[in-house]
Structure formats: structure tokens, C-alpha cells
């Protein structure tokens, strides 16, 4: 069983990659869809027991899990690869403004938080990631790169 974490800042394309993986017949989960709980300060965190059960209880030969929460590190050892999806700040802000599937990133406060996270959190993710994919390329190419990584692990 292979478990691949797709992580990165808001607006880097995690949800889009998950939707495309599912469309191609792969098991993929976006942790924003029921796998998180709110915490003070307007953030959220993984429901650790639920995500652990997802990772250890699934019978899928290959499972992709997408998310980026502060407490995800406690489960990093359950992943065979950690793939950082990244994009420049201007691309991220543009995507957040244009997306219709999630309201996060539309307010000035959200946008400041995104830029702060890009400066503070993304370097930490880069250090623990086994791979990085720039998501400025077409979605099809990003998904192909993700699947190539999955084949390697």
C-alpha cells in the first residue's frame, strides 16, 4: 500500500489535483472535505484519529491525501512520499480570487495570512517534502508528475 501526501499552500492546486486523480479512477481525498475541525483563530486542523484510520484502514493499493494543516506532521511517517505543490505568490492570489469551490482567500485578512504562510510555512514544508511540483504548468502535467512519483515509491 502506498500513501502519498499532497501538501502546499492554499491556491496551489491540491483540490484540483485530487479531483483529476479521482476522475482518472484513483483513490484520492481532500482533507478539507470533512477531515478537519476548526481551531481558534480561524484555522483548522486534521481530525488526527480519522485521518490515521483513513491511512491505515484503507485497502487501496494507492491513496492520495491532500491537505496542509499544522498538525499533519504527526502522521508524516504514514506516508510513502510527501509532495509539495507550489506556485508563486501572484499565481496563488489570482487563483484564490477566481476559485468558486472555496471562499477562503477572498478577504484582505485571508490574503495576508496566505502570504504570511507562504513566507513562513512553505519553507518548512519544502524541508520535509520528498518531492516538489510547481503547479504553474497545466493541470494534466501536474497530475502526470504526481502519478510518476507514486510509481517510484
Amino acid at each position: 500500500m502506498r500513501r502519498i501526501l499532497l501538501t502546499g499552500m492554499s491556491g496551489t492546486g491540491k483540490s484540483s489535483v485530487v479531483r483529476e486523480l479521482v476522475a482518472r479512477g484513483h483513490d484520492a481525498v481532500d482533507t478539507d472535505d470533512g477531515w478537519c475541525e476548526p481551531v481558534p483563530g480561524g484555522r483548522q486542523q486534521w481530525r488526527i484519529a480519522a485521518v490515521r484510520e483513513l491511512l491505515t484502514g484503507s485497502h487501496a493499493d494507492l491513496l492520495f491525501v491532500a491537505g496542509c494543516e499544522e498538525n499533519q506532521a504527526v502522521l508524516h511517517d504514514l506516508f510513502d512520499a510527501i509532495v509539495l505543490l507550489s506556485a508563486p505568490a501572484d499565481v496563488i492570489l489570482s487563483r484564490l480570487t477566481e476559485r468558486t469551490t472555496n471562499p477562503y482567500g477572498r478577504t484582505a485578512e485571508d490574503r495576508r495570512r496566505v502570504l504570511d504562510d507562504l513566507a513562513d510555512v512553505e519553507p518548512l514544508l519544502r524541508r520535509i517534502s520528498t518531492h516538489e511540483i510547481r503547479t504553474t504548468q497545466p493541470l494534466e502535467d501536474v497530475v502526470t508528475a504526481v502519478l510518476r512519483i507514486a510509481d517510484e515509491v
Side-chain angles (χ1 to χ4, degrees):
M1 297 186 299
R2 293 167 290 156
R3 304 292 180 254
I4 311 296
L5 174 61
L6 305 171
T7 193
M9 300 296 93
S10 293
T12 56
K14 297 181 302 292
S15 297
S16 296
V17 170
V18 164
R19 282 190 299 274
E20 182 62 22
L21 288 166
V22 168
R24 293 184 186 195
H26 296 282
D27 290 318
V29 172
D30 185 338
T31 58
D32 282 345
D33 297 335
W35 299 93
C36 292
E37 60 193 3
V39 294
R43 298 229 185 217
Q44 63 184 18
Q45 66 182 6
W46 278 0
R47 291 185 301 114
I48 293 297
V51 176
R52 183 185 311 277
E53 175 62 26
L54 170 70
L55 294 170
T56 59
S58 173
H59 297 290
D61 289 336
L62 175 59
L63 176 65
F64 297 94
V65 175
C68 185
E69 306 303 340
E70 287 184 37
N71 67 337
Q72 74 183 29
V74 301
L75 298 179
H76 281 171
D77 62 329
L78 297 178
F79 290 98
D80 299 292
I82 299 174
V83 180
L84 173 63
L85 302 180
S86 64
D90 61 325
V91 171
I92 289 172
L93 293 176
S94 175
R95 288 176 179 170
L96 292 175
T97 300
E98 296 169 5
R99 73 181 176 182
T100 59
T101 57
N102 184 334
Y104 181 74
R106 292 210 177 91
T107 69
E109 181 182 338
D110 288 349
R111 294 166 75 77
R112 275 192 302 278
R113 183 176 277 179
V114 166
L115 292 174
D116 288 347
D117 286 349
L118 193 59
D120 299 335
V121 177
E122 188 177 70
L124 301 174
L125 293 173
R126 189 167 280 116
R127 283 199 292 267
I128 58 92
S129 295
T130 58
H131 302 81
E132 181 174 356
I133 300 172
R134 295 290 276 184
T135 62
T136 50
Q137 57 191 315
L139 179 59
E140 182 174 315
D141 294 344
V142 172
V143 172
T144 297
V146 166
L147 291 171
R148 190 174 303 121
I149 290 167
D151 285 341
E152 295 173 0
V153 296

